Amino acid sequence: MDIKKIFENNATWVNEKLGKDENYFKNLSKGQSPDILYIGCADSRVTAEELMGVSPGEAFVHRNIANMVPNTDLSSMSVIEYAVGHLKVKHVVVCGHYYCGGVKAAMESKDLGVLNPWLRNIRDVYRIYNDELNNINDEEARYKRLVELNVYEQCVNVLKTAVVQKAFRERGVSVHGWVFDIHTGKLIDLAVNTQKIVDSVREIYHLE
Ligand code: CO
């Protein structure tokens, strides 16, 4: 890709926006109040706004390898704190995708250096569901199932945070687990039940 082309693309985009609304950027600069916090994978094939069909200002976006929400990761924790506590988003989405390289790497035994502690979080998900996963003989099916289970466990991690627990109590913020199917382009809703997760983690992770 010619990096200069990006600036040409940007100029075209600015003109398109201004052609439809001459105050577009003036209004955009006034502030943001997105309804959605989207946490997805950094994979170049899995966009955030484009696959959801949302415009600038509509989704607060955080992406990292394999859409993880580790308790000690200052970046994702800060994003959640800001989006839920300050911007007061109504929905938190964790969106994984089939054929995720991060999930694949966690299923293999390679030493990947600094990636090891990151991928360890996915291995921990595998360990929780060890029996279920080991009963799936087809490797691709097992890989896809781990993608789904990882999304679910990251939704649980979202609900372990104090800010989301508070927002759930006070204004019913909801948490959604989705998978993007690269083969079809379709989003799949895993129908995560926020209340059920809250109930299941309350005893141990409850924070006030
Ligand atoms: Co991925």
Side-chain angles (χ1 to χ4, degrees):
M1 170 175 266
D2 179 0
I3 210 82
K4 283 186 197 146
K5 181 81 173 73
I6 289 174
F7 286 85
E8 291 168 26
N9 293 346
N10 173 253
T12 306
W13 176 73
V14 169
N15 286 335
E16 268 172 23
K17 292 289 182 196
L18 293 177
K20 285 180 199 151
D21 176 4
E22 61 178 22
N23 292 317
Y24 184 78
F25 293 102
K26 209 177 179 181
N27 289 333
L28 212 53
S29 65
K30 283 178 186 162
Q32 60 170 336
S33 62
D35 281 344
I36 300 170
L37 164 58
Y38 171 97
I39 300 169
C41 184
D43 191 303
S44 60
R45 301 164 297 176
V46 188
T47 62
E49 290 89 345
E50 189 169 327
L51 71 84
M52 292 192 287
V54 301
S55 301
E58 292 184 313
F60 201 76
V61 172
H62 179 71
R63 291 169 67 185
N64 61 37
I65 292 175
N67 40 270
M68 302 302 289
V69 186
N71 173 49
T72 51
D73 172 39
L74 195 53
S75 182
S76 59
M77 287 298 122
S78 302
V79 163
I80 291 170
E81 183 75 30
Y82 185 65
V84 176
H86 295 266
L87 295 176
K88 306 217 179 300
V89 295
K90 297 183 177 78
H91 306 277
V92 180
V93 170
V94 177
C95 184
H97 67 103
Y98 294 139
Y99 309 103
C100 180
V103 172
K104 183 85 195 161
M107 291 176 81
E108 292 165 353
S109 308
K110 285 195 197 102
D111 176 356
L112 295 171
V114 79
L115 274 167
N116 293 342
W118 191 260
L119 299 177
R120 234 296 295 281
N121 296 303
I122 307 171
R123 289 168 194 251
D124 289 342
V125 172
Y126 198 110
R127 192 167 67 90
I128 297 170
Y129 297 96
N130 200 22
D131 291 346
E132 179 186 338
L133 288 164
N134 286 347
N135 274 327
I136 304 172
N137 292 323
D138 182 68
E139 201 176 321
E140 187 173 325
R142 190 161 69 240
Y143 177 21
K144 289 173 92 169
R145 185 63 184 143
L146 182 55
V147 165
E148 296 169 0
L149 292 169
N150 184 50
V151 166
Y152 181 79
E153 284 301 315
Q154 301 321 308
C155 290
V156 174
N157 284 345
V158 167
L159 278 156
K160 285 175 188 169
T161 64
V163 70
V164 176
Q165 288 184 18
K166 185 167 183 275
F168 181 71
R169 278 196 304 272
E170 292 178 357
R171 57 188 183 83
V173 71
S174 56
V175 177
H176 309 266
W178 297 347
V179 172
F180 176 69
D181 185 353
I182 292 191
H183 267 171
T184 63
K186 285 186 178 157
L187 269 179
I188 300 160
D189 186 354
L190 298 179
V192 164
N193 184 328
T194 310
Q195 180 68 57
K196 197 177 148 205
I197 297 177
V198 169
D199 292 344
S200 71
V201 300
R202 181 168 281 151
E203 188 182 347
I204 297 171
Y205 298 98
H206 185 68
L207 298 170
E208 257 179 299

